[in-house]
Amino acid sequence: MKIRLLEVIEDSPIELLLLADPSEKLVKEYLSRGQCFVATKNDEVIGVIVLIRTRPETIEIVNIAVREDHQNKGIGKRLVLFAIDKAKEQHIKTVEIGTGNSGLNQLALYQKCGFRITGVDRDFFIRHYKEKIYENGIQVIDMIRLSLDL
Ligand code: ACO
Ligand code: ACO
């Protein structure tokens, strides 16, 4: 598997991006101002990660997704560790990430990569998404915020 920057002329892997974030509007908004990296295997895109600069010396991983038939094989973890390395190269001091209250496996992954919970953005998914979203049988309401100091 290889990880590379998505070229400007390439189509973004929208189906994958929508796995992590069902709002096409939000996805397009942060794609336009972020760096999108793709994981490929035999020239097929099987994973994606999007980084945006937020505050000074801070980036946020705003989207990470692995194609369903390739999940649970360590690709998500490699993408997160790749983003951390990119941040270090760019002299970033803090990497942030957020996930829904129902994202039990995501919370496990991020904490295994060193992230710590910093807070809760209550009602984030009620404010920003029209449809009700469910995951693991739990309604997605609040965003759990995590960060990693480099
Ligand atoms: N308990 C303990 N550890 C767990 C659990 C759990 N319930 N679930 C996962 N993990 C661990 C795994 O053990 C592994 O760690 P290890 O290698 O140290 O054992 C790690 O978390 C994740 O494993 P990967 O195989 O690297 O994960 P995967 O390739 O499946 O990618 C991802 C994870 C990106 C979340 C994938 O499942 C996906 O695309 N999901 C749908 C989209 C999504 O929810 N994206 C995140 C939304 S939040 C955002 O985008 C900022
Ligand atoms: N994803 C989705 N749902 C899950 C998951 C998961 N990963 N894990 C558990 N659940 C759900 C189950 O589906 C079930 O919900 P459902 O009936 O709607 O499907 C529910 O959580 C829990 O199921 P139970 O069978 O009722 O739980 P159990 O009898 O195992 O009790 C407990 C849970 C008390 C935490 C038990 O595992 C335990 O004693 N653990 C060790 C001690 C402990 O950790 N206690 C809590 C410490 S915090 C405190 O004490 C305040």
Side-chain angles (χ1 to χ4, degrees):
M1 188 198 75
K2 293 179 191 154
I3 303 177
R4 64 169 173 81
L5 188 66
L6 190 77
E7 304 287 340
V8 181
I9 47 155
E10 289 179 273
D11 286 336
S12 50
I14 193 72
E15 274 176 33
L16 265 182
L17 293 158
L18 291 174
L19 266 187
D21 183 343
S23 167
E24 194 162 347
K25 183 168 162 260
L26 285 183
V27 167
K28 286 194 167 149
E29 191 273 322
Y30 54 65
L31 266 184
S32 68
R33 61 191 181 99
Q35 284 182 307
C36 179
F37 295 92
V38 287
T40 61
K41 196 170 179 189
N42 303 325
D43 289 334
E44 265 188 83
V45 174
I46 56 169
V48 69
I49 190 160
V50 182
L51 313 179
I52 59 167
R53 279 182 177 259
T54 51
R55 293 183 300 284
E57 302 184 318
T58 305
I59 60 162
E60 178 164 347
I61 299 172
V62 284
N63 193 303
I64 172 171
V66 172
R67 213 170 75 187
E68 270 158 340
D69 55 338
H70 285 275
Q71 288 178 6
N72 304 312
K73 295 178 187 165
I75 296 169
K77 194 170 184 183
R78 280 178 66 184
L79 282 166
V80 174
L81 298 178
F82 172 88
I84 293 169
D85 283 346
K86 277 278 153 209
K88 284 181 183 161
E89 271 174 27
Q90 297 170 20
H91 308 291
I92 295 294
K93 296 272 165 39
T94 307
V95 184
E96 296 185 330
I97 194 162
T99 192
N101 52 283
S102 54
L104 308 176
N105 300 343
Q106 294 88 329
L107 285 167
L109 164 62
Y110 306 150
Q111 290 179 87
K112 283 184 170 180
C113 290
F115 286 81
R116 290 189 53 194
I117 293 175
T118 50
V120 179
D121 190 346
R122 283 176 67 90
D123 294 321
F124 177 89
F125 293 93
I126 305 288
R127 276 185 271 119
H128 295 284
Y129 294 79
K130 281 195 196 114
E131 311 289 328
K132 281 188 181 175
I133 316 164
Y134 288 85
E135 183 183 24
N136 294 315
I138 306 166
Q139 189 180 349
V140 193
I141 298 172
D142 305 314
M143 182 188 278
I144 311 297
R145 304 286 313 164
L146 301 98
S147 85
L148 172 68
D149 290 329
L150 301 178

Short mmCIF file of all heavy atoms in Angstrom, two decimals, residues 102 104-105 135-138, ligand 2:
data_model
loop_
_atom_site.label_atom_id
_atom_site.label_comp_id
_atom_site.label_asym_id
_atom_site.label_seq_id
_atom_site.Cartn_x
_atom_site.Cartn_y
_atom_site.Cartn_z
N SER A 102 -20.80 8.16 19.12
CA SER A 102 -21.07 6.75 18.85
C SER A 102 -19.88 6.04 18.19
O SER A 102 -19.93 4.83 17.98
CB SER A 102 -22.24 6.68 17.88
OG SER A 102 -21.90 7.50 16.75
N LEU A 104 -17.21 4.30 18.55
CA LEU A 104 -16.43 3.56 19.56
C LEU A 104 -15.10 3.08 18.99
O LEU A 104 -14.06 3.19 19.63
CB LEU A 104 -17.28 2.39 20.09
CG LEU A 104 -18.69 2.79 20.58
CD1 LEU A 104 -19.49 1.57 20.99
CD2 LEU A 104 -18.59 3.77 21.75
N ASN A 105 -15.12 2.53 17.77
CA ASN A 105 -13.88 2.02 17.18
C ASN A 105 -12.94 3.17 16.81
O ASN A 105 -11.73 3.06 16.96
CB ASN A 105 -14.17 1.17 15.94
CG ASN A 105 -15.05 -0.02 16.28
OD1 ASN A 105 -15.19 -0.38 17.44
ND2 ASN A 105 -15.65 -0.62 15.27
N GLU A 135 -25.10 5.12 14.63
CA GLU A 135 -23.92 4.26 14.47
C GLU A 135 -23.85 3.40 15.71
O GLU A 135 -24.05 3.89 16.83
CB GLU A 135 -22.70 5.19 14.37
CG GLU A 135 -21.38 4.52 14.14
CD GLU A 135 -20.24 5.53 14.13
OE1 GLU A 135 -20.39 6.62 14.73
OE2 GLU A 135 -19.21 5.23 13.56
N ASN A 136 -23.56 2.13 15.54
CA ASN A 136 -23.53 1.18 16.68
C ASN A 136 -24.83 1.24 17.48
O ASN A 136 -24.83 1.04 18.71
CB ASN A 136 -22.34 1.47 17.62
CG ASN A 136 -21.01 1.22 16.96
OD1 ASN A 136 -20.82 0.20 16.29
ND2 ASN A 136 -20.07 2.14 17.10
N GLY A 137 -25.93 1.57 16.80
CA GLY A 137 -27.22 1.64 17.50
C GLY A 137 -27.36 2.85 18.41
O GLY A 137 -28.26 2.92 19.25
N ILE A 138 -26.46 3.83 18.24
CA ILE A 138 -26.47 5.03 19.09
C ILE A 138 -26.65 6.25 18.20
O ILE A 138 -25.98 6.35 17.16
CB ILE A 138 -25.12 5.17 19.85
CG1 ILE A 138 -24.78 3.90 20.63
CG2 ILE A 138 -25.12 6.39 20.78
CD1 ILE A 138 -23.33 3.83 21.11
N1 ACO B 2 -21.01 -1.34 20.41
C1 ACO B 2 -22.35 -1.20 20.52
N2 ACO B 2 -23.06 -1.58 21.61
C2 ACO B 2 -22.37 -2.12 22.63
C3 ACO B 2 -20.99 -2.30 22.59
C4 ACO B 2 -20.30 -1.90 21.43
N3 ACO B 2 -18.98 -2.02 21.33
N4 ACO B 2 -20.60 -2.88 23.76
C5 ACO B 2 -21.70 -3.03 24.51
N5 ACO B 2 -22.76 -2.58 23.83
C6 ACO B 2 -24.17 -2.54 24.24
C7 ACO B 2 -24.83 -3.87 24.11
O1 ACO B 2 -25.25 -4.04 22.78
C8 ACO B 2 -25.97 -3.71 25.08
O2 ACO B 2 -27.01 -2.90 24.50
P1 ACO B 2 -28.33 -3.49 23.83
O3 ACO B 2 -28.96 -4.40 24.84
O4 ACO B 2 -29.16 -2.27 23.51
O5 ACO B 2 -27.83 -4.20 22.61
C9 ACO B 2 -25.36 -2.86 26.20
O6 ACO B 2 -24.27 -2.16 25.59
C10 ACO B 2 -24.71 -3.63 27.38
O7 ACO B 2 -25.06 -4.93 27.46
P2 ACO B 2 -25.21 -5.74 28.81
O8 ACO B 2 -25.17 -7.19 28.37
O9 ACO B 2 -26.40 -5.26 29.59
O10 ACO B 2 -23.87 -5.43 29.62
P3 ACO B 2 -23.19 -6.30 30.77
O11 ACO B 2 -24.19 -7.13 31.50
O12 ACO B 2 -22.01 -6.97 30.16
O13 ACO B 2 -22.71 -5.17 31.77
C11 ACO B 2 -20.79 -3.95 32.43
C12 ACO B 2 -21.86 -4.13 31.38
C13 ACO B 2 -21.46 -3.64 33.80
C14 ACO B 2 -19.95 -2.74 32.03
C15 ACO B 2 -19.95 -5.26 32.49
O14 ACO B 2 -19.30 -5.48 31.27
C16 ACO B 2 -18.87 -5.22 33.58
O15 ACO B 2 -19.12 -5.59 34.76
N6 ACO B 2 -17.64 -4.80 33.23
C17 ACO B 2 -16.55 -4.76 34.18
C18 ACO B 2 -16.77 -3.69 35.26
C19 ACO B 2 -16.93 -2.32 34.65
O16 ACO B 2 -16.20 -1.91 33.75
N7 ACO B 2 -17.91 -1.57 35.18
C20 ACO B 2 -18.17 -0.20 34.77
C21 ACO B 2 -17.14 0.73 35.31
S1 ACO B 2 -17.75 2.44 35.30
C22 ACO B 2 -18.74 2.48 36.68
O17 ACO B 2 -18.77 1.59 37.45
C23 ACO B 2 -19.57 3.74 36.94
#
